[in-house]
Amino acid sequence: MTTSSNNTPAEAAGPATPSDFIRDIVAADLASGKHRQIVTRFPPEPNGFLHIGHAKSICLNFGLAVENGGRCNLRMDDTNPTKEEAAYVESIMRDVAWLVADWAEPNYSLKTKGALPQAQEQDGKPDYFMGPAEAVPAAELGNPRSTLVEPFYASDYFEPLYAFAVRLIEAGKAFVCDLSAEDMETYRGAPDRPGQDSPFRERSIPENLDLFARMRAGEFPNGTRTLRAKIDMASPNIWLRDPVLYRIRHAAHHHAGGDWCIYPMYDFAHCLSDYIEGITHSICTLEFEVHRPLYDWILENLDLPRPLPRQIEFAKLIPSYMIVSKRKLIQLVQDGVVDGWDDPRLPTISGLRRRGVPARALRAFAYNIGVTKYKSLTDIAVLDFAIREDLNRSAQRRLAVLRPLKVVITNLPEDHAEDLAAVNNPEDPEAGTRSIPFSRELFIEQEDFREVPPPKYFRLKPGGEVRLKYAYIIRCDEVVKDAEGNVVELRCTADLESKRGGATADRKVKGTIHWVSTRNSVPAIIRLYDRLFTIPEPDGEDGDFRRHLNPGSLEVVSGRLEPSLAGAHPTDRFQFERLGYFVLDEDSTPDHLVFNRTITLRDSWAKVAGGADGARAQLKRI
RNA sequence: UGCCGGAUGGUGUAACGGUAGCACAGCAGUCUCUGGAACUGUUUGUCUAGGUUCGAAUCCUAGUCCGGCAGCCA
């Protein structure tokens, strides 16, 4: 138990192994001896970036492998050349590797670069198998340019798939149909009305074989013929009404190249790809539930020599305040509403990563929301919680001021300089301390001073006292304003005995605020991200989701940071005390620092404040 | 209304005929050199109606409501 707990996505967030109906099925299959090892797969279509919904699926499939000592294949479900691009394959590889890093690498399988399924024969039955590459170094898993490995590709199975189709024709279970798309729709009938047999349904086997070969040879234009399964046009299940197995598409394929002009449909390719890879449990989303009889039909009618995979459906993630629909996501990116697929406001995995969300937090989230067949809206506060919980324990604290207001400590000499010890992480004693320079002139947060304070405001106010974190208690003596009446400087006196260890160190003052020394602080651009949408279900039916964009989803400020932050590393995450968690952005350079806000700290003051202040704070956090 | 699926607090999930539990959110409090964290307490729930049973969220019957399915998309 101790060793396996290291592999648990949620670690401290709950019991070592989650329980749900899918894990129950897997456990039962292992217990009954139906399978000795379980094999799952994550099968994205390379036509867009992975998002938080895929993260749920990845965590489920890889989690099953991790928990049961099985493996999980990354497979490109690439059977439609007109919609897919190799560029997406690269982002998918990177995102998956990032998500499973330090967790499921030993169970993550890719295949040997360029390998194709092995043709085998058992009892005169053609069979094909595609196994994983052995002992892949973890670094290769996320490397799209690896010369050793690559993802599994459904398009690598086109040849076996063709052979299986021929076999179906030979068994009299598939036929070539000349119906146009429109006619086919008419013949299909409706959910409550049976369809009619295609006039081409009773073609002879030799004729079907000949026609199918000529389809492959490119003799017919797009859309003129299809290969269809011969099942039952009167079936109450639409997907059993002689579904299309192959269509003609004179188009090159991003992975298979220009060899093909007929391409298998999802229903034909998916079950057989699962079979070829030896998948035991093929987990997909609810909308494929009605396809399951077809999934089983194809496999069962091919008379295959090895155990068949089992399809199991679960409800996909619908996160509140986010859009996850591929079409809408593309629209936001193309219209420049956001700044690319990895914009930190997007629920894409690359966006979340750039925002500073740790993979571990995403896994904990996926784990916490559970797996069911009930289609539900998941409160994104659950994700927020997972992020804060992770970062609270792991992120070092720093002092940073977002909107600086100058403070002069009048009872200190001009050249006063001292270094103060600051705790790096109160949640982690091992993290140690650092020193921060303190001087006569400081910046504090504009929000931490109110000339006319609201009730229960316990930060700085005229004549009032506040503690400067790690430093002195100061009193505000004078408020300096510019011509327009804006507060531009505060003149304060410090209680010089109030520093930690001093005579008056234990004096109680209501508030403690953060600060930086004007002289020693470094400037930085800080991007304050917030929810992209203002309503819980922007992805709902009504198409006009852009009406609900949050105009304040990105605010850029010029802040000042304590000097130690100048040496920040791109993957470091920090808590800027009292503000939130921040990560260095990839746009950052040593002399032009850029930080992204991952998430704010919980802010109970925003709620207490009420009135104008509270309303503004609430709005900012929507 | 053809087929398939689903319904447990505000939200999400557990319970596998035997005390309806957990998490998030909320509320109240303790503590605090982060209005953070931590800790304590707490409000709110089995879709409806019958039935079986000593006992039903769970089994049966009948309803109600919700979701999915009619691409040569996946």
Side-chain angles (χ1 to χ4, degrees):
Chain A
M1 216 23 151
T2 22
T3 44
S4 76
S5 71
N6 288 333
N7 284 334
T8 300
E11 290 191 359
T17 312
S19 166
D20 55 64
F21 76 100
I22 296 180
R23 278 176 243 252
D24 288 348
I25 291 171
V26 168
D29 288 347
L30 251 13
S32 73
K34 180 177 177 186
H35 300 294
R36 269 182 48 243
Q37 188 200 35
I38 72 133
V39 185
T40 57
R41 103 265 94 116
F42 172 63
E45 182 185 16
N47 69 346
F49 273 59
L50 262 25
H51 55 65
I52 190 168
H54 295 108
K56 176 181 179 181
S57 174
I58 292 168
C59 290
L60 210 210
N61 280 294
F62 281 83
L64 249 14
V66 169
E67 292 152 24
N68 298 288
R71 60 185 179 86
C72 179
N73 294 355
L74 171 63
R75 176 165 82 226
M76 297 301 138
D77 205 359
D78 56 348
T79 56
N80 187 349
T82 61
K83 287 194 171 179
E84 298 148 7
E85 292 172 27
Y88 290 124
V89 175
E90 298 193 5
S91 72
I92 289 169
M93 282 188 75
R94 270 193 275 269
D95 289 347
V96 172
W98 174 77
L99 226 205
V100 306
D102 301 319
W103 172 53
E105 280 139 344
N107 311 277
Y108 181 8
S109 50
L110 294 173
K111 72 175 183 74
T112 302
K113 182 100 178 169
L116 291 172
Q118 260 181 276
Q120 313 173 342
E121 193 156 317
Q122 285 186 34
D123 312 323
K125 300 171 189 168
D127 194 25
Y128 300 87
F129 182 72
M130 184 68 245
E134 303 287 338
V136 182
E140 294 295 298
L141 296 175
N143 175 14
R145 316 226 183 287
S146 172
T147 53
L148 267 42
V149 290
E150 64 182 348
F152 293 79
Y153 287 88
S155 57
D156 279 338
Y157 312 147
F158 283 169
E159 202 61 62
L161 257 23
Y162 182 84
F164 282 129
V166 166
R167 225 180 133 70
L168 231 35
I169 295 172
E170 286 169 345
K173 289 171 177 170
F175 66 100
V176 172
C177 182
D178 302 0
L179 245 28
S180 68
E182 306 77 63
D183 286 342
M184 202 180 292
E185 193 183 331
T186 310
Y187 276 80
R188 185 157 36 230
D192 55 350
R193 175 164 42 85
Q196 288 173 258
D197 284 359
S198 160
F200 306 97
R201 198 174 201 262
E202 298 310 324
R203 282 219 249 240
S204 70
I205 290 173
E207 189 185 3
N208 280 322
L209 252 13
D210 173 63
L211 252 14
F212 189 48
R214 289 163 61 194
M215 278 169 64
R216 176 180 184 170
E219 288 189 28
F220 313 119
N222 286 348
T224 50
R225 286 183 224 263
T226 56
L227 181 75
R228 294 226 258 163
K230 195 188 284 191
I231 308 181
D232 178 10
M233 287 307 290
S235 170
N237 182 339
I238 297 275
W239 294 101
L240 258 20
R241 321 247 261 228
D242 293 4
V244 172
L245 265 22
Y246 269 88
R247 77 287 216 182
I248 299 171
R249 278 270 215 278
H250 290 272
H253 188 280
H254 67 91
H255 182 73
D259 292 350
W260 294 86
C261 63
I262 57 172
Y263 291 94
M265 296 288 292
Y266 164 84
D267 288 295
F268 189 67
H270 204 93
C271 55
L272 286 166
S273 299
D274 285 342
Y275 172 76
I276 289 168
E277 291 174 20
I279 302 300
T280 55
H281 302 267
S282 177
I283 298 161
C284 62
T285 49
L286 251 26
E287 62 266 33
F288 293 102
E289 208 157 15
V290 285
H291 293 241
R292 191 172 62 228
L294 177 55
Y295 182 102
D296 292 337
W297 185 93
I298 294 169
L299 259 14
E300 283 162 8
N301 282 277
L302 248 10
D303 192 21
L304 300 163
R306 288 183 293 118
L308 305 180
R310 199 237 269 215
Q311 174 179 311
I312 305 167
E313 311 84 16
F314 75 103
K316 71 177 162 207
L317 171 67
I318 305 172
S320 64
Y321 297 99
M322 288 181 174
I323 262 172
V324 121
S325 138
K326 223 170 242 182
R327 201 193 89 246
K328 292 175 184 171
L329 241 23
I330 285 177
Q331 207 178 319
L332 292 176
V333 172
Q334 285 181 347
D335 296 356
V337 173
V338 294
D339 197 18
W341 282 104
D342 65 346
D343 186 296
R345 290 167 291 180
L346 252 22
T348 52
I349 292 180
S350 18
L352 292 165
R353 178 172 59 230
R354 189 168 183 182
R355 201 178 106 194
V357 175
R360 197 173 43 209
L362 217 40
R363 282 183 231 135
F365 166 70
Y367 163 86
N368 284 145
I369 58 177
V371 177
T372 64
K373 299 192 73 160
Y374 178 63
K375 186 173 171 178
S376 62
L377 181 72
T378 296
D379 189 345
I380 208 58
V382 180
L383 206 217
D384 293 347
F385 172 81
I387 297 169
R388 291 194 180 105
E389 187 184 50
D390 187 285
L391 260 14
N392 175 51
R393 285 180 295 144
S394 61
Q396 292 215 351
R397 316 284 124 128
R398 292 293 183 270
L399 298 187
V401 175
L402 263 27
R403 299 173 184 83
L405 171 61
K406 189 174 168 188
V407 167
V408 178
I409 314 289
T410 54
N411 59 335
L412 244 28
E414 293 281 348
D415 60 350
H416 180 85
E418 64 179 312
D419 289 321
L420 301 172
V423 174
N424 280 330
N425 186 349
E427 307 294 321
D428 176 17
E430 305 272 292
T433 61
R434 68 191 185 284
S435 75
I436 321 178
F438 181 84
S439 63
R440 185 174 188 261
E441 295 193 359
L442 312 169
F443 288 123
I444 66 166
E445 205 69 63
Q446 284 172 21
E447 286 190 356
D448 287 338
F449 172 78
R450 268 303 117 83
E451 195 170 15
V452 185
K456 291 193 181 159
Y457 183 84
F458 39 85
R459 282 114 101 154
L460 238 206
K461 54 192 170 190
E465 282 190 322
V466 77
R467 154 86 60 187
L468 294 175
K469 180 88 181 178
Y470 299 123
Y472 307 93
I473 294 169
I474 57 169
R475 175 195 316 279
C476 175
D477 303 317
E478 189 186 344
V479 179
V480 182
K481 299 180 182 179
D482 64 12
E484 279 92 54
N486 299 312
V487 177
V488 293
E489 182 181 315
L490 266 21
R491 300 187 70 80
C492 305
T493 45
D495 172 353
L496 271 5
E497 296 301 316
S498 61
K499 204 170 66 173
R500 198 180 291 278
T504 54
D506 293 333
R507 271 178 58 204
K508 293 295 173 200
V509 276
K510 281 258 185 60
T512 298
I513 65 174
H514 59 278
W515 52 273
V516 295
S517 159
T518 56
R519 199 166 59 218
N520 307 284
S521 60
V522 295
I525 296 299
I526 302 169
R527 304 201 278 226
L528 306 174
Y529 293 105
D530 201 346
R531 287 176 185 165
L532 228 207
F533 293 94
T534 56
I535 58 165
E537 280 186 276
D539 218 349
E541 291 313 308
D542 32 54
D544 202 7
F545 68 101
R546 298 177 56 151
R547 256 198 0 244
H548 305 292
L549 282 164
N550 174 10
S553 64
L554 170 59
E555 186 182 357
V556 181
V557 298
S558 297
R560 307 285 299 195
L561 318 174
E562 66 164 88
S564 70
L565 249 8
H569 184 87
T571 54
D572 291 342
R573 272 125 178 155
F574 300 99
Q575 182 196 103
F576 291 175
E577 294 217 33
R578 302 209 307 132
L579 296 172
Y581 297 96
F582 295 78
V583 67
L584 198 69
D585 186 78
E586 59 191 43
D587 287 345
S588 197
T589 63
D591 37 49
H592 186 77
L593 297 174
V594 180
F595 279 88
N596 296 336
R597 182 173 69 195
T598 307
I599 194 167
T600 61
L601 253 25
R602 274 185 69 218
D603 186 2
S604 48
W605 164 244
K607 276 174 282 188
V608 173
D613 271 357
R616 195 168 68 92
Q618 293 277 25
L619 194 71
K620 276 175 59 191
R621 299 168 48 90
I622 303 181

